[in-house]
Amino acid sequence: HCACCMQGMVPYLPELIPHLIQCLCDKKALVRSIACWTLSRYAHWVVSQPPDAHLKPLMTELLKRILDGNKRVQEAACSAFATLEEEACTELVPYLSFILDTLVFAFGKYQHKNLLILYDAIGTLADSVGHHLNQPEYIQKLMPPLIAKWNELKDEDKDLFPLLECLSSVATALQSGFLPYCEPVYQRCVTLVQKTLAQAMMYSQQPDQYEAPDKDFMIVALDLLSGLAEGLGGHVDTLVARSNIMTLLFQCMQDTMPEVRQSSFALLGDLTKACFPHVKPCIAEFMPILGTNLNPEFISVCNNATWAIGEICMQMGVEMQPYIAMVLNQLVEIINRPNTPKTLLENTAITIGRLGYVCPQEVAPMLPQFIRPWCTSLRNIRDNEEKDSAFRGICMMIGVNPGGVVQDFIFFCDAVASWVNPKDDLRDMFYKILHGFKEQVGEENWQQFSEQFPPLLKERLAACYGV
């Protein structure tokens, strides 16, 4: 259904939803399963109402349908519940205990095909409620059945994929709550990567004697390792220290399959944030590979490589200097390409800003080549750490090469005005640049210049920076 029809439906929903919820108990299985699907289409509206009105009754009945005797109804209810989770997010926190009891009970009841959908519902739950899942009573309910399945499945079993994906969401949500389970999970992921690489190697040497490996095993394992690194942070240190993951990562980053490289760069970025001392010795080998992958033909690979470079750069500081030349030209080219997707533009801008933050002398000469697209791609993102480091970089580069922004200064003003609450010292940097520019051009020129500003921009700069 499209948004326009949806608007037309709204007046009827307060009557219609309770009726549909009653259909969830219909004696015909087909009616029950269609009611699940139909209700999922209105999840957004249900969540926008007071929870007792429709969310609570809908959730209660959907959970009963997850335990329906009919497989088709189970499947429809599980999918509908995953949609509801995505819409409701933390609204579900008060009902977590009840939700987990149902999902865990379904574990014992479900047959093969529906188990896969159940993993998805559990993973989505973890994504939706995040750290609220990290309570001993919830962990006690959820982890034993997941680990039991994990131990049951062989390394060659494709049913590992959805389970690994589900565990990745759970590990990220539980954070330190996942510590008791992390060691066997980590080890097995490393083993899966290793086995797949070994098989790929044998296949490439003797294709007539060996089968091509299913690289999805490796991709999903790399993604779960990312989830562990993100969830456990510094606690992942000892696991990394006792494994050969960096060597394996070096091979994965050079794999022919883009999805493998995409997941490798994500893991590289997460390990850089979690335990950089283990990554640092490999930087000289890794940087050229990252540079080669700044190819926007493969959007996701390029995006993750760009993000990883930015994270590495924040850890390396001044020592990033020898590697700037390997990546800067590609990044500037990407930020100037027409039709580059929004996320890639934002990540590219952040990484250019971060490179300029640690090595302003090296990056500042390029300012005129990227300042305009840089400003337009970052004006729309919310205040956060990444935006903060990127803007500090831009300010430092303007300090080194103020002439580089003269032509596009209005774009810089606009980007500065997009900040809601910059930290005090960053606000000071903005203040100095704006006032410095105003003094440089003189009062009269500044007046003429600021005449071009849209009224809202003028207002914000006057209110926040007194220019």
Side-chain angles (χ1 to χ4, degrees):
H1 73 95
C2 62
C4 48
C5 326
M6 177 68 188
Q7 278 322 104
M9 289 296 293
V10 167
Y12 307 105
L13 292 179
E15 307 283 305
L16 187 59
I17 298 291
H19 170 67
L20 286 168
I21 291 175
Q22 275 194 304
C23 294
L24 288 174
C25 311
D26 194 275
K27 57 182 192 298
K28 294 193 188 66
L30 187 60
V31 175
R32 297 200 300 276
S33 70
I34 290 171
C36 288
W37 182 80
T38 306
L39 280 159
S40 75
R41 310 304 289 160
Y42 294 106
H44 184 78
W45 181 83
V46 166
V47 172
S48 73
Q49 305 298 301
D52 287 353
H54 307 287
L55 178 61
K56 215 171 157 183
L58 171 58
M59 197 175 56
T60 313
E61 289 308 314
L62 262 186
L63 287 170
K64 289 182 192 160
R65 293 290 68 80
I66 284 178
L67 304 177
D68 200 278
N70 181 290
K71 281 185 191 171
R72 282 188 55 185
V73 179
Q74 291 174 3
E75 178 182 2
C78 237
S79 299
F81 193 69
T83 307
L84 183 63
E85 289 172 333
E86 280 176 353
E87 291 290 349
C89 293
T90 50
E91 300 277 332
L92 297 176
V93 172
Y95 318 109
L96 267 173
S97 186
F98 181 47
I99 294 172
L100 287 168
D101 285 338
T102 304
L103 296 179
V104 167
F105 193 80
F107 246 108
K109 188 176 168 84
Y110 275 21
Q111 298 306 305
H112 177 248
K113 184 185 161 199
N114 285 353
L115 259 181
L116 309 186
I117 300 167
L118 182 62
Y119 292 140
D120 181 57
I122 292 172
T124 307
L125 180 67
D127 293 338
S128 302
V129 300
H131 65 94
H132 296 283
L133 198 57
N134 188 7
Q135 297 291 334
E137 70 153 316
Y138 303 151
I139 296 175
Q140 260 335 100
K141 290 181 198 284
L142 181 60
M143 289 309 296
L146 285 177
I147 293 297
K149 281 284 173 229
W150 170 265
N151 292 331
E152 215 174 278
L153 293 172
K154 302 263 181 297
D155 280 351
E156 298 70 36
D157 194 327
K158 284 198 167 64
D159 287 358
L160 268 178
F161 300 162
L163 177 57
L164 286 159
E165 275 170 36
C166 168
L167 278 171
S168 179
S169 296
V170 170
T172 308
L174 291 185
Q175 296 173 344
S176 60
F178 198 80
L179 271 174
Y181 310 95
C182 66
E183 191 146 352
V185 172
Y186 180 91
Q187 291 308 342
R188 186 169 195 180
C189 287
V190 172
T191 306
L192 286 168
V193 173
Q194 205 156 7
K195 281 187 174 175
T196 312
L197 285 172
Q199 200 184 333
M201 187 75 151
M202 298 194 298
Y203 174 72
S204 70
Q205 289 165 356
Q206 299 172 290
D208 45 340
Q209 294 187 18
Y210 291 100
E211 290 213 353
D214 181 341
K215 288 188 180 172
D216 286 348
F217 282 104
M218 178 155 71
I219 294 165
V220 183
L222 290 166
D223 291 344
L224 177 44
L225 288 169
S226 276
L228 285 177
E230 195 184 329
L232 298 174
H235 295 295
V236 83
D237 193 287
T238 45
L239 296 170
V240 173
R242 281 180 301 186
S243 69
N244 60 340
I245 187 63
M246 297 317 293
T247 315
L248 298 174
L249 199 49
F250 181 63
Q251 291 174 267
C252 293
M253 284 164 48
Q254 299 174 81
D255 198 272
T256 48
M257 191 175 177
E259 290 80 2
V260 175
R261 301 201 301 277
Q262 174 187 336
S263 294
S264 311
F265 296 137
L267 177 56
L268 176 60
D270 282 316
L271 290 175
T272 297
K273 289 176 83 165
C275 55
F276 190 61
H278 295 298
V279 179
K280 197 173 178 184
C282 313
I283 291 300
E285 287 186 294
F286 285 7
M287 281 309 298
I289 301 173
L290 284 161
T292 321
N293 279 279
L294 295 176
N295 168 7
E297 201 186 327
F298 302 107
I299 292 295
S300 302
V301 179
C302 185
N303 203 13
N304 289 359
T306 303
W307 175 71
I309 292 166
E311 290 299 337
I312 288 168
C313 154
M314 294 308 285
Q315 299 285 344
M316 292 284 282
V318 195
E319 296 177 59
M320 193 68 184
Q321 199 259 321
Y323 307 109
I324 302 278
M326 293 179 184
V327 298
L328 185 59
N329 285 331
Q330 295 95 301
L331 292 168
V332 171
E333 203 172 303
I334 291 166
I335 206 169
N336 281 295
R337 279 180 80 236
N339 309 327
T340 304
K342 200 161 123 338
T343 348
L344 181 55
L345 277 179
E346 288 166 5
N347 271 323
T348 305
I350 286 166
T351 295
I352 291 174
R354 289 179 152 191
L355 292 169
Y357 178 62
V358 299
C359 299
Q361 298 292 344
E362 282 66 28
V363 187
M366 304 276 284
L367 264 176
Q369 293 168 52
F370 64 74
I371 186 70
R372 183 184 284 202
W374 191 95
C375 290
T376 44
S377 58
L378 288 189
R379 67 186 295 267
N380 296 321
I381 69 167
R382 289 198 303 276
D383 298 9
N384 63 26
E385 280 305 310
E386 297 188 343
K387 185 172 175 176
D388 179 272
S389 54
F391 270 82
R392 285 171 195 275
I394 273 294
C395 292
M396 292 177 66
M397 289 188 277
I398 293 174
V400 173
N401 179 16
V405 290
V406 174
Q407 294 300 297
D408 299 304
F409 199 69
I410 187 166
F411 290 92
F412 176 74
C413 295
D414 180 55
V416 165
S418 76
W419 276 88
V420 184
N421 287 313
K423 291 184 183 151
D424 288 344
D425 59 336
L426 182 60
R427 186 189 294 274
D428 288 342
M429 291 163 104
F430 292 158
Y431 184 91
K432 288 195 178 97
I433 292 173
L434 293 169
H435 281 268
F437 187 84
K438 185 177 172 177
E439 278 157 36
Q440 205 63 53
V441 299
E443 189 63 43
E444 203 175 318
N445 287 332
W446 177 263
Q447 284 312 319
Q448 275 184 312
F449 175 67
S450 59
E451 282 310 303
Q452 314 161 32
F453 289 5
L456 198 66
L457 174 57
K458 222 171 172 168
E459 225 169 278
R460 289 209 62 163
L461 291 178
C464 305
Y465 301 99
V467 289

